[in-house]
Amino acid sequence: MKRLLIILGIIAAVALIGFFTLRSWTKSGSPEAIAQVDQNGLKIKVDYCQPYKKGRKIFGGLVPYGEVWRTGANEATVVDFDQNVLVAGQPLDEGEYSLWTIPSKDGWIAIFNRETGQWGTNYDQTKDIVRVPIVSREHSPKAEQFYISFSPTANGTDMILAWDETEAIIPIQKRERR
């Protein structure tokens, strides 16, 4: 019995070391980042990973047009709203959501999904809460690394998704309580 416990302990230790080594390796190519805003009583926090361009064609290449993208790298990007909001005019309740997008040449679709914590390739459309069209435009200078930032607006903020020569804008406003 003692020998079995020692063997199981060794297997568990090797598995843990392997897990953390793999996690460290994947994060080195696309490091973790946090984007957040706290303005006019609106708090939004985004946990995501930042892939690099590395000389690749990004939109319409590495990230195909017309297909769901994890909007970052590694695990699915998670957005946390501290209150009920309007996202591109559509209501979304406070809470955590995974953020997905469907890029295209002429505009994008932003998707807020109730499932969080999954790897970024495990998208389940049946758990979508909101899908909204958003504007994309040329971004200059080119962004070698994907990033998410916020730009204040009169009634809220714009969440900006930028990579390479493209940025997509998700308008967010506080939703009045009824």
Side-chain angles (χ1 to χ4, degrees):
M1 181 68 170
K2 189 174 184 181
R3 184 179 186 142
L4 178 63
L5 290 175
I6 291 172
I7 291 171
L8 289 174
I10 291 170
I11 291 171
V14 168
L16 277 173
I17 290 170
F19 170 78
F20 286 111
T21 300
L22 179 62
R23 187 171 195 263
S24 173
W25 177 75
T26 60
K27 300 289 181 169
S28 67
S30 299
E32 293 180 59
I34 294 175
Q36 54 190 2
V37 65
D38 181 353
Q39 115 190 10
N40 300 325
L42 178 63
K43 293 181 185 176
I44 304 168
K45 180 180 175 187
V46 184
D47 288 302
Y48 68 107
C49 290
Q50 298 181 281
Y52 287 90
K53 179 175 168 52
K54 298 180 185 174
R56 303 174 287 190
K57 176 178 172 65
I58 300 303
F59 298 108
L62 178 67
V63 178
Y65 287 131
E67 295 182 21
V68 173
W69 176 45
R70 69 178 101 185
T71 315
N74 302 325
E75 300 89 358
T77 293
V78 175
V79 181
D80 185 5
F81 298 101
D82 77 328
Q83 63 185 280
N84 297 340
V85 295
L86 293 173
V87 176
Q90 295 299 310
L92 186 62
D93 291 341
E94 75 175 90
E96 281 191 345
Y97 300 91
S98 55
L99 172 64
W100 307 82
T101 50
I102 302 175
S104 73
K105 284 185 179 183
D106 303 320
W108 290 23
I109 295 172
I111 304 165
F112 291 85
N113 183 287
R114 82 172 76 106
E115 184 178 16
T116 60
Q118 74 274 36
W119 191 251
T121 55
N122 296 334
Y123 168 69
D124 182 353
Q125 182 176 349
T126 65
K127 296 182 180 173
D128 288 355
I129 301 298
V130 170
R131 278 181 170 232
V132 292
I134 58 173
V135 171
S136 64
R137 62 186 180 202
E138 190 172 311
H139 177 76
S140 183
K142 291 181 186 179
E144 172 64 25
Q145 188 176 26
F146 172 71
Y147 69 89
I148 297 174
S149 63
F150 292 95
S151 178
T153 62
N155 298 319
T157 190
D158 285 341
M159 182 189 304
I160 300 170
L161 315 173
W163 198 12
D164 193 18
E165 300 174 323
T166 303
E167 67 181 18
I169 298 101
I170 304 174
I172 302 168
Q173 297 177 321
K174 289 195 299 189
R175 191 166 89 207
E176 298 302 319
R177 299 181 195 268
R178 297 191 200 293

